Amino acid sequence: TYVRTVCERYRGVIDAFDVWNEPWIHAWWGVGYDHDKGGRAGYITSEEPQKDFVRLMQVARDTARSVIPDASVFGFNTTTGGTTSETNFSGYDWTKGVLEAGGMAHCDGIAYHAYTGGGVGYPGDTVEKGLATAVGPILERHGSVGKPIWMTEGSPLIHRMGNGLYRHTVPESRVEDVWDDADRIARYLVSMLANGVSRIFLYSMHAQGDFCTAPKQWNVFTTDEGYLHPSGVAHAHCAWLLEDTRFVERFDLHGKALHLYLFEGDGRAVVAVSPGPGAVPHVLPSAPGVAFTDVFGNELDEVPKAGMLCYAMAHGPDAASRLKSMFMPR
């Protein structure tokens, strides 16, 4: 009844849905509560929580399709890590259970959540490792996921963001490195796309309050009063460049310390130049018709702030090959 009501209400407006929220946490997918234990440990799951979740996926998808025939309904709603405990499943164990209960037959794609405070924007980063955990059982059984992967909630700025550009007008405003936070957003997006995630939904604000000096737990894009943070500009520029492109390949320079992610679109190509851990300052190459920008979209004629991601752009039918040859001359 709930799914039918929602789909009838939003038919023609929304055609993609994600089933439930974080069922791998017992508090979100419990059937009872032990008051003697209390807290999160008190939530009790069913005897077969993953199998029951697959039943929910099936009912949700079948009902949605009965109202919106071409609806996309994403399932699993898994996560990037953790260990199985009395309060939750690890991402791997949750996915494994849903897979074994037949979950792949009742979804149009895989949804997962990806919060990280670790490094992003290079091979073996927390984005790559987290996704490998979230879909690992599927890869082990089938060799590939075979369906779209959407990151439906996450952020690389957890417990990091401050008050943006405020310095003098907000008393005791936390001073932060806005360049670093903007850089992390761009790196996170590039790594997600390069690792096969086709849609990215950043969790952008939660429990907002005053302009406290402590790092924000949930903010992305906006400061506490709702105005734009520089990380939002970095996201906008990345989207402007990479929307409607496809990831082609990654190649590495400077002893594999500098990582170049090549994306190709209709008549254009973009390389995201992402220094990895231990990278040294590098000189930007040059070629006719190639433009460099920093994470905010400012044109560059030299390397940006040390260690930061930047972009190279070219247009034309041979744009991808020209960019690659500029960085990797024969």
Side-chain angles (χ1 to χ4, degrees), residues 54 72 122 182 213 227-228 238 273 277 294 311 316:
V54 170
S72 295
Y122 54 85
T213 57
Y227 283 97
L228 190 66
C238 186
V273 183
D294 65 14
Y311 305 97

Side-chain angles (χ1 to χ4, degrees), residues 2 35 66 106 219 244 303 316:
Y2 173 83
H35 290 276
S66 71
H106 303 296
N219 291 38
D244 299 325
V303 67

Side-chain angles (χ1 to χ4, degrees), residues 106-302:
H106 303 296
C107 65
D108 299 297
I110 311 301
Y112 82 110
H113 292 181
Y115 290 94
T116 179
V120 290
Y122 54 85
D125 64 2
T126 53
V127 170
E128 182 179 324
K129 291 177 179 177
L131 181 59
T133 297
V135 300
I138 302 173
L139 295 174
E140 291 167 6
R141 175 175 292 190
H142 299 291
S144 66
V145 175
K147 293 186 177 186
I149 303 171
W150 285 15
M151 198 293 292
T152 54
E153 182 186 318
S155 167
L157 296 185
I158 187 105
H159 292 295
R160 297 181 69 97
M161 231 182 74
N163 292 315
L165 298 178
Y166 287 102
R167 286 294 182 273
H168 306 292
T169 56
V170 178
E172 300 183 1
S173 177
R174 175 177 176 258
V175 177
E176 65 170 318
D177 187 343
V178 295
W179 283 84
D180 182 64
D181 286 348
D183 183 58
R184 283 185 64 82
I185 283 289
R187 288 170 170 272
Y188 182 85
L189 298 173
V190 167
S191 187
M192 281 274 171
L193 296 171
N195 280 285
V197 177
S198 55
R199 293 287 186 275
I200 304 164
F201 298 85
L202 292 169
Y203 194 70
S204 59
M205 204 170 192
H206 172 80
Q208 62 271 22
D210 56 17
F211 280 91
C212 59
T213 57
K216 315 296 182 181
Q217 183 176 9
W218 302 113
N219 291 38
V220 179
F221 302 151
T222 55
T223 48
D224 279 326
E225 88 291 32
Y227 283 97
L228 190 66
H229 183 275
S231 63
V233 181
H235 183 280
H237 184 56
C238 186
W240 178 261
L241 294 177
L242 301 184
E243 189 75 23
D244 299 325
T245 67
R246 62 180 182 86
F247 174 67
V248 178
E249 63 175 316
R250 190 199 79 239
F251 45 101
D252 307 308
L253 300 176
H254 295 197
K256 296 187 176 181
L258 189 64
H259 312 288
L260 297 95
Y261 296 83
L262 176 62
F263 296 84
E264 188 172 19
D266 185 13
R268 63 191 178 94
V270 178
V271 166
V273 183
S274 181
V280 297
H282 56 282
V283 177
L284 295 175
S286 61
V290 176
F292 281 88
T293 60
D294 65 14
V295 293
F296 299 114
N298 300 307
E299 292 188 7
L300 293 173
D301 54 13
E302 60 182 16

